[in-house]
Amino acid sequence: MFNGKWITAGALCNNMHTLFEKRFELGKFNTAIIRITADDYYKLYVNGAFVGQGPAPSFSFNYRFNEFDISEYLREGENEISVHCYYQGLENRVWVSGDNICGLIADIIIDEAQIICTDSSWQYGVDKSFLGGEPFGYDTAFPENRDMRIALSAPKNAVEIPCPHSFAKVAFPALEAYEISAEPIKSGGRYFYDFNQEYICVPVIRATANADGARLILRCAEELNEDGTPRFNLRCGCNYEEQITLKKGENLIEQYDYKALRYIEIICENAELAELKIRVQHFPFSENSQEIRTDDERLSAVWRLCKNTVLLGAQEGFIDCPTREKGQYLGDAFISGFAHFYLTKDSLLLKKAIYDFGDTLQFCGEFLAVAPCAYKQKIADYALLFAPMLLKYYKLTGDEEALEKLLPVCNSINAHFAEFENEGGLLANVDGDWNLVDWPDNMRDGYRYNLTDGKERGTHCVINAYYAYSLKCTEEIKRILNLECDEKATKIISAFNRVFFDEKSGLYIDCEGGSHSALHSNILPLAFGLCPEEHIKTVADYLENRGMQCSVYMAYFYLWALCNAGRKAAALRFITSDGEHGWLNMIREGATTVFEAWGKEQKWNTSLFHPWATAPILIINEHFDDLIDK
């Protein structure tokens, strides 16, 4: 794949920024391509111009790389390639970091004849101007407090080591990146910027200091305080206030890690701000992305809100939020991944997500809920959505190869949970994987079952609904592939209805031996096609009368259940509801991207950019074909 050598710096530490450089001469040429990847991450510059960044987070045995056409950046004569590599060192949901692997590999191909590869002739310097601090969110990112007076360390020749990775077969698309500016409101040394909506981006600042030691205070925010100042201590748990000490004269401060923000405030002390831009980043999408046809302005507003979130929120994976976690959770991707496909008709990022989750078995021997990263978290509900996700992906793309390669993952997941089957075939005492049901926990509609810290005991409805659906979808995959299957799903569905359906109330109950019927216990049997025909009406009546008393995540399954029961008008009514549990409530509270909850105060640490809340995109595509603008 690469002819170059894996190069690295001599020593390694957390939050390490290293600049690798190569100078070379070129004669006349027509085309130039660079193939490149790094660990944990890189940003590529050619002759001082930003070209791109990557790679997409990956496990070492299926490591992603990028290719860029750099013809327009090179020139006859002397050229310089600079690669800003970063090693974070934290075991979180972002990358497979904390593994003591850092470095770079690249090939530069000029007119189809390779002339430059990474090797020990490349030089590096360590940038110690990044001072770090207490990490943001769930150890997600280090703050970028800087001291611009600290120069790059003296150049040294790079160290060649054996390549630590096996690479994917083809290059993966790099993020699209572009700069946006806004007019500031200036008051003394204070500059305030409103970019009119929330973005995932990095600030790029140019400032002039009157003397060494001048200072900028950078504050980024998703919302404003009551007094109109930026709320830089975000409600989701990230403190977006950073201090930058300047050297005398001109300073270019280009932040490395992305933030989610709408507002920026900069306080200048003995310095002047020359320019501020934000470099927005997201997975590439066409300007001709999907739209709907409707005269209902409420529906249009909800669609625009969700679409904006899906398109901007798709990074090198379907992250759950760009602030606190920055990770790709399967449950989130089950919604935002398919929403992204419907909007763009591009299945590449969705395919990567599915393979990433499948690869967790090879990574650590267990199926993980968030991938690809170093953080090992298991969520039962999400694991049991893998087979449905794979099957749905196949039905939309016809990718039979994915079914063949990933069916063993479905079998492994089902086998894992089969270990918890009781005599009747239902799952009981599933105490090693988090039984989510819904999140936050105050959105579980009083679901009566002990769901505390993985110590669940007994037999409850939601986990068994997921299990039955996983078996059902796995068997359908086997039939597509002309493989034998044991028809176990039919037996489990029969046991599910026998134990959890209450003939007296005509509803599903939360747990074996109980009497309470939460919304969630009745959503999933209808959504997953587990409910017998004769019981659909009573269950659907209950769902419609109770309303959307669930989280934004479970809202997709709720609306799906109503549509499956022939209640499409009700589903559309809830999508455009102006109640507290609705997308219009987010818009009333100033949302330009969907929230983690229905309102800012409905969760103690609400993220204001959370693509798992984009169910209307899926529901409209899957059940309201007449609304799609073809």
Side-chain angles (χ1 to χ4, degrees):
M1 181 60 66
F2 285 92
N3 291 299
K5 304 295 185 182
W6 187 271
I7 58 174
T8 186
L12 187 62
C13 63
N14 287 4
N15 195 33
M16 183 173 177
H17 292 261
T18 307
L19 191 68
F20 292 91
E21 294 182 333
K22 178 70 174 179
R23 291 181 174 86
F24 56 94
E25 295 280 339
L26 270 186
K28 290 185 178 181
F29 68 96
N30 293 312
T31 61
I33 303 293
I34 186 169
R35 180 179 300 127
I36 183 171
T37 193
D39 194 336
D40 295 328
Y41 206 69
Y42 73 85
K43 293 194 175 182
L44 170 66
Y45 301 82
V46 177
N47 291 323
F50 173 76
V51 176
Q53 62 192 67
S58 314
F59 293 120
S60 64
F61 49 83
N62 191 20
Y63 209 73
R64 269 55 173 211
F65 64 93
N66 307 112
E67 290 183 352
F68 298 94
D69 185 338
I70 56 173
S71 307
E72 65 179 289
Y73 299 97
L74 295 174
R75 59 197 175 216
E76 288 187 49
E78 187 175 81
N79 290 271
E80 181 182 73
I81 301 284
S82 299
V83 185
H84 184 165
C85 287
Y86 180 57
Y87 176 72
Q88 188 186 68
L90 301 175
E91 292 188 5
N92 56 24
R93 300 158 175 84
V94 183
W95 294 302
V96 187
S97 195
D99 54 1
N100 295 316
I101 298 175
C102 179
L104 161 72
I105 191 168
D107 296 338
I108 302 170
I109 305 163
I110 309 293
D111 292 338
E112 300 183 359
Q114 182 178 309
I115 64 168
I116 301 169
C117 300
T118 46
D119 58 25
S120 59
S121 69
W122 288 54
Q123 293 193 315
Y124 77 89
V126 178
D127 189 344
K128 296 184 179 180
S129 71
F130 290 86
L131 305 178
E134 188 69 23
F136 295 144
Y138 294 160
D139 282 346
T140 304
F142 287 99
E144 297 190 22
N145 299 307
R146 300 281 300 275
D147 189 338
M148 304 301 293
R149 299 171 299 180
I150 301 175
L152 201 67
S153 68
K156 295 182 179 180
N157 281 42
V159 179
E160 294 182 15
I161 63 171
C163 186
H165 301 309
S166 298
F167 297 105
K169 293 180 179 179
V170 296
F172 195 74
L175 295 177
E176 182 178 343
Y178 49 90
E179 291 184 345
I180 291 177
S181 59
E183 286 297 319
I185 298 174
K186 184 179 178 183
S187 177
R190 176 183 182 267
Y191 297 77
F192 173 77
Y193 296 83
D194 179 359
F195 291 92
N196 295 317
Q197 71 160 74
E198 186 146 358
Y199 288 103
I200 297 175
C201 60
V202 296
V204 180
I205 304 166
R206 296 183 185 274
T208 303
N210 299 323
D212 275 353
R215 191 173 67 151
L216 301 181
I217 300 175
L218 172 65
R219 295 167 177 162
C220 302
E222 297 179 292
E223 58 183 318
L224 300 178
N225 294 309
E226 291 184 2
D227 63 0
T229 59
R231 181 173 174 166
F232 56 84
N233 197 348
L234 276 57
R235 64 178 67 235
C236 69
C238 296
N239 190 338
Y240 278 174
E241 181 182 55
E242 294 155 314
Q243 297 191 15
I244 303 161
T245 303
L246 305 176
K247 63 183 179 183
K248 184 178 180 179
E250 293 185 357
N251 293 257
L252 172 61
I253 306 102
E254 182 176 325
Q255 292 218 307
Y256 195 86
D257 207 347
Y258 68 79
K259 293 179 172 70
L261 62 88
R262 171 175 172 171
Y263 305 99
I264 293 179
E265 178 184 66
I266 297 180
I267 308 296
C268 296
E269 298 178 359
N270 202 23
E272 294 182 1
L273 188 64
E275 183 181 45
L276 167 72
K277 293 183 178 180
I278 56 172
R279 183 178 295 147
V280 178
Q281 61 179 61
H282 55 72
F283 195 74
F285 62 83
S286 168
E287 292 183 1
N288 297 321
S289 55
Q290 187 184 68
E291 291 291 354
I292 59 167
R293 294 179 305 211
T294 179
D295 294 327
D296 187 339
E297 180 52 36
R298 296 173 304 165
L299 183 59
S300 292
V302 170
W303 174 271
R304 290 193 301 269
L305 176 69
C306 293
K307 177 180 177 178
N308 193 50
T309 306
V310 170
L311 296 181
L312 294 181
Q315 294 292 307
E316 286 146 326
F318 298 111
I319 55 174
D320 69 333
C321 73
T323 49
R324 186 179 56 239
E325 286 99 346
K326 294 190 176 183
Q328 178 175 255
Y329 275 88
L330 192 148
D332 300 59
F334 190 76
I335 296 171
S336 59
F338 287 108
H340 186 268
F341 172 78
Y342 288 132
L343 289 171
T344 65
K345 297 301 181 287
D346 182 354
S347 64
L348 192 57
L349 197 59
L350 178 59
K351 180 177 182 177
K352 177 186 181 294
I354 294 170
Y355 274 90
D356 283 342
F357 288 113
D359 282 347
T360 62
L361 284 173
Q362 185 176 343
F363 172 60
C364 68
E366 297 180 295
F367 188 86
L368 303 179
V370 55
C373 63
Y375 184 73
K376 300 179 180 68
Q377 185 175 18
K378 298 196 298 179
I379 300 177
D381 314 48
Y382 289 2
L384 292 166
L385 276 176
F386 181 79
M389 188 177 192
L390 175 60
L391 178 60
K392 185 172 181 177
Y393 164 78
Y394 164 76
K395 289 182 176 181
L396 290 171
T397 65
D399 186 352
E400 191 168 313
E401 181 183 14
L403 292 187
E404 294 171 347
K405 288 187 175 182
L406 295 173
L407 175 59
V409 179
C410 303
N411 291 334
S412 177
I413 292 168
N414 293 334
H416 166 72
F417 285 99
E419 296 177 6
F420 297 95
E421 288 183 5
N422 60 20
E423 293 181 357
L426 296 177
L427 303 187
N429 306 327
V430 180
D431 56 6
D433 301 39
W434 182 14
N435 291 215
L436 183 73
V437 178
D438 205 354
W439 192 253
D441 54 10
N442 63 323
M443 291 291 169
R444 290 178 180 152
D445 192 37
Y447 190 79
R448 292 187 183 172
Y449 186 65
N450 178 23
L451 296 167
T452 306
D453 299 329
K455 299 177 182 178
E456 300 79 8
R457 312 303 298 170
T459 305
H460 72 102
C461 181
V462 165
I463 191 68
N464 277 285
Y466 280 115
Y467 183 50
Y469 192 47
S470 178
L471 293 171
K472 179 181 176 183
C473 291
T474 301
E475 290 179 7
E476 186 171 348
I477 290 170
K478 290 178 179 178
R479 286 190 286 271
I480 292 168
L481 297 175
N482 296 313
L483 300 174
E484 292 184 5
C485 55
D486 55 13
E487 305 295 338
K488 181 179 179 180
T490 301
K491 298 176 183 177
I492 298 301
I493 293 170
S494 177
F496 175 87
N497 281 289
R498 185 171 61 253
V499 170
F500 295 113
F501 188 77
D502 179 21
E503 294 285 351
K504 184 176 180 180
S505 66
L507 302 174
Y508 289 90
I509 56 175
D510 301 346
C511 60
E512 185 175 19
S515 60
H516 184 261
S517 294
L519 197 69
H520 303 66
S521 298
N522 292 274
I523 289 173
L524 298 183
L526 271 190
F528 295 162
L530 311 179
C531 182
E533 182 72 27
E534 62 270 23
H535 301 319
I536 289 177
K537 184 180 184 306
T538 58
V539 176
D541 285 346
Y542 171 73
L543 296 184
E544 187 172 349
N545 292 333
R546 287 281 291 117
M548 209 156 44
Q549 300 302 312
C550 59
S551 78
V552 294
Y553 164 69
M554 189 56 65
Y556 171 55
F557 301 91
Y558 174 80
L559 297 169
W560 178 10
L562 287 178
C563 290
N564 272 3
R567 309 292 178 93
K568 292 173 60 174
L572 200 59
R573 188 172 69 250
F574 284 115
I575 288 175
T576 56
S577 167
D578 59 3
E580 288 188 0
H581 284 212
W583 287 271
L584 294 179
N585 189 60
M586 299 183 198
I587 294 173
R588 279 197 301 271
E589 294 188 10
T592 60
T593 53
V594 294
F595 299 163
E596 184 181 10
W598 297 114
K600 295 177 180 178
E601 303 297 336
Q602 291 186 23
K603 186 176 184 287
W604 70 274
N605 61 347
T606 304
S607 155
L608 302 188
F609 195 144
H610 221 89
W612 78 340
T614 52
I617 301 291
L618 281 76
I619 294 300
I620 290 171
N621 272 277
E622 292 164 1
H623 301 281
F624 295 90
D625 184 68
D626 57 311
L627 292 176
I628 300 300
D629 189 352
K630 299 178 178 60

